[in-house]
Every structure is written in C-alpha cells, then in structure tokens.
Amino acid sequence: MPALETQPGDPLTDSPERAELRRMARKLIEEISPNERTNELDESETFDELLYSKLAELGLLGIDAPEEFGGSGDVRDQLVLVEELAKGPTSMAAFMIAQFAVVQVLAGFGRTPEAREVLKALIAGQTRVSFALSEPDGGTDVARVMKTRAQPVRSGGFLLSGQKTWTSGAAEADWLVVLARSSEIDRSPVEGITMFLVPTHLPGIEIRAIDTFGIHSLSTCDVFLDDVEVAEDAILGDLDRGMRQVFATVNREGLNAAAATLGVGLGALELAVEYAKERSVFGKPVASFQVPQHWMVDAAVQLEAARSLMGRAAEIEVAGGDAGSLASMAKLIASDTAMEISLKGMQLMGGAGYTRASAMQRLFRDGRLWSFSPLNNEMVRNRLGEGWLGLPRSY
Ligand SMILES: Cc1cc2nc3c(=O)[nH]c(=O)nc-3n(C[C@H](O)[C@H](O)[C@H](O)COP(=O)(O)OP(=O)(O)OC[C@H]3O[C@@H](n4cnc5c(N)ncnc54)[C@H](O)[C@@H]3O)c2cc1C
C-alpha cells in the first residue's frame, strides 16, 4: 500500500539507514516468517527460533544499547523493527519489546561484572532474560499490591518469596529481572521496592506457562518464588529504588506498544484491502462498496495519525525531552485502531476470517495485548486527562 509510506519532504520520513533497516526487516520476515509459517507456529505455540537467531545475527537484539555491549541505533530504530515484526510475526514483536526492556534495565542498572556479561550475552542472542513485575493482585497498580518480598539474610543477600505472573518468555529464559518489596510502604508505594537479577535455575523457582488468548509464539508464565536465595550483588541499581528505576523502561514499552499496534493495524489493513479487491459479491469486488471503503480509509487515516504522534514522541525522546503524553496518545490511537481494523477485517472476510488459518484472527488476538499492557488504555486516558488537560486525578 504505497499511500501508507512516507513521502519526500515528510519530516518524519526514515533516514537512509533506517529505511535500510525497514527493508532488511521486511525481507527477513518475507523469507523466514511469512504469515503461513507464523500461523503454524501460533497453532503449535512455538517460539520462532529461526527468526530470533537471524535477528541476533543482524545485531538487532541490542538496538539503543551502548556500543560497548554490542548495541547500536536508538529508539527510532526500535520502533521500525517492532512495527515491521508486528505486521506479521506479532509474537516476535512482543518478544522484542520485552528484550529491549531488559536490555535497557541491565544497561542502566547492571553494575556488577556478572550483570554486564549477561547484557553482552543477551544482545548477542546467547542468553534470555524475562521481566517479572506484574503480580496476581494487579499489574496496573503493582507497587501498591506487590506481595513478593525480599528478606535480608545474614550473608548480606536476600530471600525472595512470592508470585509473579504474565512474565513473557520466562519458560525459555535463563534469567529473570524480579521486582520485590524490600521495605514496608512508608510515604509512597513506589519506594521500598528492589530490582534483582536472578538465574532461573536457582532452587525455589518454579515457572508454569499460562494458556493465553494470543501471542502464542512466546510463552507467558506464572513464576513462583519460594525462599530463593540471592546474593547482595544480584541487586540491579539501588536498594529500595527499583520501581522508580523502571519507570523509564515502562514508558519506553508504551512507545514500543504504539509501534506494535501500528504494525498490527497495518498488517490487518493490508490483508483487508487485498481481500476486498479480490473477493466479489453481486458481481463486484467487495472493495467497490462504500461501507468497507470508508472504514478502510478511516483506518488508514487513524494509523497515519498514530505514526505522526509516535514519530514526534520518538524525536522528542532522542532530543532528551519528555515524550510521555505524545507516546500515550500514539499508543491509544494505534491500539484502538488496530482492534477496530482486525475486528472489521474478520467481518469483511466472512467465513474465511473465521478460520484459524487466517492471519486476521491472529492479528486480532495478538493485538489485544496492548490495549491493556503495559498500561491499560483507561489508565492512559486518565493520565492524559490529568497531565495534558489539567483535569482532576481520576484514579
Ligand atoms: C501476554 C501478556 C504478556 C505480559 N508480559 C508481561 C511481562 O513480561 N512482565 C510483566 O511484568 N507483566 C507482563 N504482563 C502483564 C501486563 O502488563 C498486565 O496485564 C497489565 O499491566 C494489566 O494488569 P492486570 O492484568 O493485573 O490488570 P488490572 O491492573 O487488574 O486492571 C484490570 C482492568 O481494570 C481497568 N482499570 C484499571 N485501572 C483503572 C483505572 N484507574 N481507571 C479505569 N479503569 C481501570 C482496565 O480496564 C484494566 O484492563 C503481560 C500480560 C499479558 C497478558
């Protein structure tokens, strides 16, 4: 769909290097993970190891990490890769968002030689790390309800006990970044939480897969911690400051979620446009009727609006400014639109959209994730109400 591409003179057009990255990602996906294979992996709930190893080979697992650890590029490159992956192998986009999150955490707060080695291996594709923040009592307000405890022990280390849930990729991970309450709540629930780097093989850790609606090619897990002993140097950053330390990472996840849902929306729109042109009813292509044409046009407009907001947010972030509100707007519009397109896309395809072989239904299931994660769209609206419009805090 050339109309969806940027044009000369567009201030947010890809730089030549970024355009090359986009071309490379598209070629890779076309060759290795076209929709047919991606659907098979989704059906068998299998991680796309081949695509992952190619991403590692191409040096794309450490975008925006410091060069000394094998990183390159910045947030704008992350967005390109996530968007392109989300159009087809969406589970890999979810994996990359989690990968970029743990890379950011380790690059920012991994001060020990071990943590630095883990970061290098993570970027080289030789180890995997999952991010365990959410808990059974809640993800939105996780600091307030956090029950996982870090109890100091005589050796100077800690015993970790509690349960994490929804941890992406934990079944295949060698390490976990675990946030645990290390001091009782005093003034604010975000204080008194510490972040630890924990090997998954330690005694007392049990990981169980959860059966989810979508993102089937990436495990989503419960993580049980039963008196797991870690040394003091397992701490990432500072004692009791873990929650504050991850704010930037969670915000970046939000911007990457905008890219993911932009990709899901574009993937679904492309499928809808193709199908509508080819399928005839009453002797005419479905595309010739105004109802489908109008919603497809509205969808394209919304996606371009999301791309513009996302691009502005990324430029502001690169310049060191506060991109929070624009990133939130981009995520809202992209995720709402992706859901609408994939739902209407299934309707447009009639029975064909109701089969498991259809990529449209997979995009619908996969894209749902980002309407409530990393922050649900209701809370995104609450924050914009307060921060952008100056309305009273509503939560
Ligand atoms: C596939 C998958 C992968 C995930 N990966 C990870 C991961 O790797 N690491 C991790 O830590 N977490 C992960 N998560 C967890 C995810 O971040 C949480 O699901 C999310 O933060 C929401 O938390 P919750 O599910 O506990 O919903 P809750 O916090 O219980 O919220 C439920 C609903 O209540 C409504 N709501 C909440 N607050 C408000 C409000 N103030 N105003 C209006 N409505 C409100 C919203 O509709 C919200 O969806 C993952 C989840 C899934 C499903």
Side-chain angles (χ1 to χ4, degrees):
M1 278 188 295
L4 287 169
E5 304 294 337
T6 48
Q7 297 292 325
D10 183 337
L12 294 176
T13 200
D14 287 338
S15 65
E17 297 76 24
R18 212 156 289 126
E20 182 49 34
L21 169 64
R22 198 183 287 280
R23 263 194 301 277
M24 191 164 75
R26 283 183 183 172
K27 189 160 171 275
L28 193 65
I29 293 161
E30 204 179 295
E31 286 174 5
I32 296 183
S33 305
N35 274 335
E36 203 174 61
R37 177 164 175 271
T38 297
N39 282 358
E40 283 167 16
L41 293 172
D42 172 80
E43 275 290 302
S44 60
E45 306 199 351
T46 309
F47 184 69
D48 193 341
E49 292 288 351
L50 190 57
L51 181 58
Y52 168 75
S53 61
K54 288 285 174 194
L55 291 169
E57 239 172 65
L58 292 166
L60 299 176
L61 299 181
I63 298 177
D64 200 26
E67 274 176 34
E68 58 175 305
F69 297 105
S72 63
D74 62 39
V75 58
R76 294 167 296 189
D77 304 290
Q78 286 188 352
L79 297 175
V80 165
L81 184 63
V82 169
E83 177 193 331
E84 293 303 327
L85 289 169
K87 281 184 194 167
T90 316
S91 288
M92 190 56 79
F95 171 82
M96 287 307 301
I97 293 177
Q99 164 85 8
F100 291 144
V102 285
V103 163
Q104 186 177 359
V105 162
L106 289 174
F109 305 104
R111 294 171 191 157
T112 62
E114 184 175 58
R116 294 164 77 84
E117 282 310 309
V118 172
L119 177 57
K120 269 190 207 156
L122 180 65
I123 290 174
Q126 292 157 354
T127 196
R128 296 194 202 164
V129 182
S130 287
F131 185 64
L133 172 63
S134 299
E135 297 208 354
D137 284 355
T140 310
D141 193 17
V142 61
R144 194 179 305 271
V145 298
M146 190 172 287
K147 285 195 178 139
T148 300
R149 287 283 184 273
Q151 298 274 358
V153 287
R154 281 199 166 172
S155 60
F158 293 85
L159 283 182
L160 304 180
S161 287
Q163 185 189 340
K164 294 291 170 180
T165 192
W166 312 121
T167 312
S168 291
E172 300 82 25
D174 307 297
W175 299 84
L176 298 167
V177 170
V178 176
L179 284 105
R181 181 154 293 287
S182 41
S183 297
E184 291 312 314
I185 296 178
D186 182 13
R187 274 180 315 135
S188 159
V190 300
E191 306 297 348
I193 289 173
T194 302
M195 184 158 57
F196 297 89
L197 181 61
V198 184
T200 51
H201 65 71
L202 286 188
I205 297 185
E206 195 191 334
I207 294 171
R208 284 190 219 146
I210 303 171
D211 194 7
T212 52
F213 181 58
I215 311 288
H216 284 168
S217 293
L218 176 64
S219 66
T220 306
C221 303
D222 278 323
V223 176
F224 300 89
L225 303 152
D226 182 10
D227 281 346
V228 178
E229 187 164 358
V230 293
E232 191 181 3
D233 64 7
I235 293 179
L236 292 168
D238 299 325
L239 184 72
D240 288 342
R241 299 272 305 157
M243 199 67 206
R244 286 207 184 279
Q245 288 170 177
V246 297
F247 283 156
T249 301
V250 175
N251 286 343
R252 172 64 64 82
E253 270 192 73
L255 188 53
N256 273 324
T261 42
L262 174 61
V264 168
L266 286 169
L269 186 56
E270 271 176 31
L271 291 174
V273 167
E274 264 169 44
Y275 191 87
K277 281 183 184 165
E278 277 167 21
R279 180 77 176 176
S280 284
V281 288
F282 297 106
K284 285 193 222 167
V286 174
S288 64
F289 297 107
Q290 279 190 347
V291 168
Q293 262 200 28
H294 285 188
W295 78 249
M296 286 190 276
V297 168
D298 288 347
V301 172
Q302 303 274 33
L303 292 177
E304 282 308 294
R307 181 190 294 292
S308 299
L309 286 164
M310 185 181 86
R312 277 177 69 199
E315 293 298 333
I316 291 171
E317 202 170 306
V318 169
D322 177 2
S325 292
L326 290 177
S328 295
M329 290 181 191
K331 192 248 186 186
L332 260 191
I333 192 167
S335 57
D336 283 352
T337 306
M339 285 302 85
E340 205 179 318
I341 302 173
S342 49
L343 189 60
K344 286 185 172 162
M346 286 192 283
Q347 175 70 5
L348 179 102
M349 293 175 76
Y354 201 58
T355 63
R356 285 187 165 179
S358 134
M360 190 67 87
Q361 56 79 27
R362 183 177 48 73
L363 288 169
F364 175 75
R365 287 186 288 107
D366 288 350
R368 283 278 303 121
L369 170 62
W370 293 290
S371 57
F372 60 85
S373 184
L375 189 65
N376 62 75
N377 282 358
E378 291 86 347
M379 266 303 291
V380 173
R381 286 185 167 87
N382 293 340
R383 290 212 176 145
L384 283 170
E386 186 185 2
W388 192 262
L389 298 179
L391 298 173
R393 177 176 276 215
S394 63
Y395 57 96

PDB file of all heavy atoms in Angstrom, residues 149-169:
ATOM      1  N   ARG A 149       8.299 -10.593  48.380  1.00  0.00           N
ATOM      2  CA  ARG A 149       9.125  -9.976  49.419  1.00  0.00           C
ATOM      3  C   ARG A 149      10.597 -10.318  49.222  1.00  0.00           C
ATOM      4  O   ARG A 149      10.927 -11.445  48.830  1.00  0.00           O
ATOM      5  CB  ARG A 149       8.709 -10.497  50.802  1.00  0.00           C
ATOM      6  CG  ARG A 149       7.379  -9.950  51.282  1.00  0.00           C
ATOM      7  CD  ARG A 149       7.563  -8.515  51.775  1.00  0.00           C
ATOM      8  NE  ARG A 149       6.356  -7.932  52.332  1.00  0.00           N
ATOM      9  CZ  ARG A 149       5.414  -7.298  51.643  1.00  0.00           C
ATOM     10  NH1 ARG A 149       5.517  -7.190  50.341  1.00  0.00           N
ATOM     11  NH2 ARG A 149       4.363  -6.767  52.237  1.00  0.00           N
ATOM     12  N   ALA A 150      11.473  -9.368  49.545  1.00  0.00           N
ATOM     13  CA  ALA A 150      12.916  -9.614  49.598  1.00  0.00           C
ATOM     14  C   ALA A 150      13.330  -9.443  51.058  1.00  0.00           C
ATOM     15  O   ALA A 150      13.339  -8.331  51.582  1.00  0.00           O
ATOM     16  CB  ALA A 150      13.647  -8.614  48.717  1.00  0.00           C
ATOM     17  N   GLN A 151      13.621 -10.566  51.716  1.00  0.00           N
ATOM     18  CA  GLN A 151      14.005 -10.533  53.139  1.00  0.00           C
ATOM     19  C   GLN A 151      15.516 -10.616  53.249  1.00  0.00           C
ATOM     20  O   GLN A 151      16.105 -11.569  52.719  1.00  0.00           O
ATOM     21  CB  GLN A 151      13.443 -11.775  53.859  1.00  0.00           C
ATOM     22  CG  GLN A 151      11.943 -11.880  53.866  1.00  0.00           C
ATOM     23  CD  GLN A 151      11.336 -11.115  55.032  1.00  0.00           C
ATOM     24  OE1 GLN A 151      12.074 -10.543  55.829  1.00  0.00           O
ATOM     25  NE2 GLN A 151      10.030 -11.089  55.122  1.00  0.00           N
ATOM     26  N   PRO A 152      16.156  -9.670  53.947  1.00  0.00           N
ATOM     27  CA  PRO A 152      17.613  -9.763  54.083  1.00  0.00           C
ATOM     28  C   PRO A 152      18.014 -11.002  54.898  1.00  0.00           C
ATOM     29  O   PRO A 152      17.285 -11.396  55.808  1.00  0.00           O
ATOM     30  CB  PRO A 152      17.993  -8.490  54.842  1.00  0.00           C
ATOM     31  CG  PRO A 152      16.747  -7.725  55.057  1.00  0.00           C
ATOM     32  CD  PRO A 152      15.573  -8.530  54.638  1.00  0.00           C
ATOM     33  N   VAL A 153      19.148 -11.612  54.535  1.00  0.00           N
ATOM     34  CA  VAL A 153      19.674 -12.739  55.319  1.00  0.00           C
ATOM     35  C   VAL A 153      21.069 -12.365  55.821  1.00  0.00           C
ATOM     36  O   VAL A 153      21.673 -11.401  55.342  1.00  0.00           O
ATOM     37  CB  VAL A 153      19.717 -14.063  54.496  1.00  0.00           C
ATOM     38  CG1 VAL A 153      18.331 -14.615  54.296  1.00  0.00           C
ATOM     39  CG2 VAL A 153      20.418 -13.884  53.167  1.00  0.00           C
ATOM     40  N   ARG A 154      21.560 -13.142  56.765  1.00  0.00           N
ATOM     41  CA  ARG A 154      22.824 -12.793  57.436  1.00  0.00           C
ATOM     42  C   ARG A 154      23.995 -12.607  56.486  1.00  0.00           C
ATOM     43  O   ARG A 154      24.846 -11.759  56.681  1.00  0.00           O
ATOM     44  CB  ARG A 154      23.188 -13.891  58.426  1.00  0.00           C
ATOM     45  CG  ARG A 154      22.391 -13.770  59.683  1.00  0.00           C
ATOM     46  CD  ARG A 154      23.065 -14.506  60.744  1.00  0.00           C
ATOM     47  NE  ARG A 154      22.504 -14.130  62.033  1.00  0.00           N
ATOM     48  CZ  ARG A 154      22.818 -14.733  63.129  1.00  0.00           C
ATOM     49  NH1 ARG A 154      23.681 -15.706  63.103  1.00  0.00           N
ATOM     50  NH2 ARG A 154      22.283 -14.358  64.260  1.00  0.00           N
ATOM     51  N   SER A 155      24.031 -13.456  55.445  1.00  0.00           N
ATOM     52  CA  SER A 155      25.157 -13.412  54.498  1.00  0.00           C
ATOM     53  C   SER A 155      25.235 -12.070  53.768  1.00  0.00           C
ATOM     54  O   SER A 155      26.199 -11.788  53.062  1.00  0.00           O
ATOM     55  CB  SER A 155      24.979 -14.523  53.473  1.00  0.00           C
ATOM     56  OG  SER A 155      23.754 -14.316  52.786  1.00  0.00           O
ATOM     57  N   GLY A 156      24.197 -11.263  53.910  1.00  0.00           N
ATOM     58  CA  GLY A 156      24.165  -9.987  53.180  1.00  0.00           C
ATOM     59  C   GLY A 156      23.263 -10.068  51.969  1.00  0.00           C
ATOM     60  O   GLY A 156      22.963  -9.067  51.330  1.00  0.00           O
ATOM     61  N   GLY A 157      22.829 -11.300  51.641  1.00  0.00           N
ATOM     62  CA  GLY A 157      21.939 -11.471  50.492  1.00  0.00           C
ATOM     63  C   GLY A 157      20.474 -11.346  50.895  1.00  0.00           C
ATOM     64  O   GLY A 157      20.142 -10.747  51.929  1.00  0.00           O
ATOM     65  N   PHE A 158      19.599 -11.946  50.066  1.00  0.00           N
ATOM     66  CA  PHE A 158      18.148 -11.834  50.294  1.00  0.00           C
ATOM     67  C   PHE A 158      17.467 -13.159  49.980  1.00  0.00           C
ATOM     68  O   PHE A 158      17.950 -13.930  49.144  1.00  0.00           O
ATOM     69  CB  PHE A 158      17.544 -10.763  49.362  1.00  0.00           C
ATOM     70  CG  PHE A 158      18.005  -9.371  49.676  1.00  0.00           C
ATOM     71  CD1 PHE A 158      19.206  -8.890  49.148  1.00  0.00           C
ATOM     72  CD2 PHE A 158      17.259  -8.535  50.498  1.00  0.00           C
ATOM     73  CE1 PHE A 158      19.648  -7.611  49.438  1.00  0.00           C
ATOM     74  CE2 PHE A 158      17.691  -7.249  50.790  1.00  0.00           C
ATOM     75  CZ  PHE A 158      18.893  -6.784  50.260  1.00  0.00           C
ATOM     76  N   LEU A 159      16.322 -13.373  50.635  1.00  0.00           N
ATOM     77  CA  LEU A 159      15.438 -14.477  50.259  1.00  0.00           C
ATOM     78  C   LEU A 159      14.237 -13.871  49.545  1.00  0.00           C
ATOM     79  O   LEU A 159      13.561 -12.989  50.099  1.00  0.00           O
ATOM     80  CB  LEU A 159      14.942 -15.218  51.502  1.00  0.00           C
ATOM     81  CG  LEU A 159      15.893 -16.190  52.191  1.00  0.00           C
ATOM     82  CD1 LEU A 159      15.170 -16.850  53.376  1.00  0.00           C
ATOM     83  CD2 LEU A 159      16.409 -17.265  51.239  1.00  0.00           C
ATOM     84  N   LEU A 160      13.986 -14.342  48.319  1.00  0.00           N
ATOM     85  CA  LEU A 160      12.845 -13.825  47.551  1.00  0.00           C
ATOM     86  C   LEU A 160      11.693 -14.816  47.631  1.00  0.00           C
ATOM     87  O   LEU A 160      11.879 -16.010  47.357  1.00  0.00           O
ATOM     88  CB  LEU A 160      13.234 -13.632  46.078  1.00  0.00           C
ATOM     89  CG  LEU A 160      14.441 -12.736  45.783  1.00  0.00           C
ATOM     90  CD1 LEU A 160      14.672 -12.650  44.277  1.00  0.00           C
ATOM     91  CD2 LEU A 160      14.246 -11.342  46.355  1.00  0.00           C
ATOM     92  N   SER A 161      10.502 -14.310  47.995  1.00  0.00           N
ATOM     93  CA  SER A 161       9.327 -15.180  48.065  1.00  0.00           C
ATOM     94  C   SER A 161       8.111 -14.449  47.544  1.00  0.00           C
ATOM     95  O   SER A 161       7.908 -13.270  47.863  1.00  0.00           O
ATOM     96  CB  SER A 161       9.042 -15.589  49.510  1.00  0.00           C
ATOM     97  OG  SER A 161      10.000 -16.519  49.917  1.00  0.00           O
ATOM     98  N   GLY A 162       7.313 -15.167  46.763  1.00  0.00           N
ATOM     99  CA  GLY A 162       6.086 -14.563  46.244  1.00  0.00           C
ATOM    100  C   GLY A 162       5.759 -15.142  44.886  1.00  0.00           C
ATOM    101  O   GLY A 162       6.295 -16.184  44.491  1.00  0.00           O
ATOM    102  N   GLN A 163       4.853 -14.462  44.180  1.00  0.00           N
ATOM    103  CA  GLN A 163       4.486 -14.936  42.841  1.00  0.00           C
ATOM    104  C   GLN A 163       4.434 -13.778  41.857  1.00  0.00           C
ATOM    105  O   GLN A 163       3.847 -12.732  42.141  1.00  0.00           O
ATOM    106  CB  GLN A 163       3.113 -15.631  42.868  1.00  0.00           C
ATOM    107  CG  GLN A 163       2.764 -16.244  41.521  1.00  0.00           C
ATOM    108  CD  GLN A 163       1.338 -16.754  41.431  1.00  0.00           C
ATOM    109  OE1 GLN A 163       0.689 -16.996  42.451  1.00  0.00           O
ATOM    110  NE2 GLN A 163       0.843 -16.908  40.222  1.00  0.00           N
ATOM    111  N   LYS A 164       5.055 -13.991  40.722  1.00  0.00           N
ATOM    112  CA  LYS A 164       4.933 -13.071  39.593  1.00  0.00           C
ATOM    113  C   LYS A 164       4.031 -13.727  38.570  1.00  0.00           C
ATOM    114  O   LYS A 164       3.938 -14.965  38.505  1.00  0.00           O
ATOM    115  CB  LYS A 164       6.320 -12.804  38.985  1.00  0.00           C
ATOM    116  CG  LYS A 164       7.246 -12.051  39.931  1.00  0.00           C
ATOM    117  CD  LYS A 164       6.762 -10.642  40.117  1.00  0.00           C
ATOM    118  CE  LYS A 164       7.492  -9.905  41.217  1.00  0.00           C
ATOM    119  NZ  LYS A 164       6.991  -8.529  41.384  1.00  0.00           N
ATOM    120  N   THR A 165       3.375 -12.920  37.766  1.00  0.00           N
ATOM    121  CA  THR A 165       2.533 -13.520  36.732  1.00  0.00           C
ATOM    122  C   THR A 165       2.656 -12.757  35.417  1.00  0.00           C
ATOM    123  O   THR A 165       3.197 -11.651  35.393  1.00  0.00           O
ATOM    124  CB  THR A 165       1.064 -13.611  37.206  1.00  0.00           C
ATOM    125  OG1 THR A 165       0.348 -14.453  36.288  1.00  0.00           O
ATOM    126  CG2 THR A 165       0.379 -12.260  37.271  1.00  0.00           C
ATOM    127  N   TRP A 166       2.202 -13.384  34.341  1.00  0.00           N
ATOM    128  CA  TRP A 166       2.236 -12.810  32.988  1.00  0.00           C
ATOM    129  C   TRP A 166       3.665 -12.538  32.523  1.00  0.00           C
ATOM    130  O   TRP A 166       3.881 -11.637  31.716  1.00  0.00           O
ATOM    131  CB  TRP A 166       1.442 -11.507  32.890  1.00  0.00           C
ATOM    132  CG  TRP A 166       0.078 -11.506  33.469  1.00  0.00           C
ATOM    133  CD1 TRP A 166      -0.382 -10.696  34.460  1.00  0.00           C
ATOM    134  CD2 TRP A 166      -1.030 -12.330  33.086  1.00  0.00           C
ATOM    135  NE1 TRP A 166      -1.697 -10.967  34.733  1.00  0.00           N
ATOM    136  CE2 TRP A 166      -2.121 -11.970  33.896  1.00  0.00           C
ATOM    137  CE3 TRP A 166      -1.206 -13.342  32.147  1.00  0.00           C
ATOM    138  CZ2 TRP A 166      -3.367 -12.576  33.799  1.00  0.00           C
ATOM    139  CZ3 TRP A 166      -2.440 -13.949  32.047  1.00  0.00           C
ATOM    140  CH2 TRP A 166      -3.498 -13.560  32.861  1.00  0.00           C
ATOM    141  N   THR A 167       4.643 -13.261  33.043  1.00  0.00           N
ATOM    142  CA  THR A 167       6.029 -12.964  32.676  1.00  0.00           C
ATOM    143  C   THR A 167       6.321 -13.527  31.283  1.00  0.00           C
ATOM    144  O   THR A 167       6.336 -14.746  31.092  1.00  0.00           O
ATOM    145  CB  THR A 167       6.997 -13.558  33.722  1.00  0.00           C
ATOM    146  OG1 THR A 167       6.521 -13.200  35.025  1.00  0.00           O
ATOM    147  CG2 THR A 167       8.401 -13.031  33.529  1.00  0.00           C
ATOM    148  N   SER A 168       6.548 -12.623  30.325  1.00  0.00           N
ATOM    149  CA  SER A 168       6.763 -13.043  28.934  1.00  0.00           C
ATOM    150  C   SER A 168       8.083 -13.776  28.790  1.00  0.00           C
ATOM    151  O   SER A 168       9.120 -13.294  29.262  1.00  0.00           O
ATOM    152  CB  SER A 168       6.805 -11.821  28.008  1.00  0.00           C
ATOM    153  OG  SER A 168       5.550 -11.235  27.909  1.00  0.00           O
ATOM    154  N   GLY A 169       8.037 -14.904  28.121  1.00  0.00           N
ATOM    155  CA  GLY A 169       9.257 -15.628  27.759  1.00  0.00           C
ATOM    156  C   GLY A 169       9.942 -16.336  28.912  1.00  0.00           C
ATOM    157  O   GLY A 169      11.037 -16.877  28.736  1.00  0.00           O
TER     158      GLY A 169
END
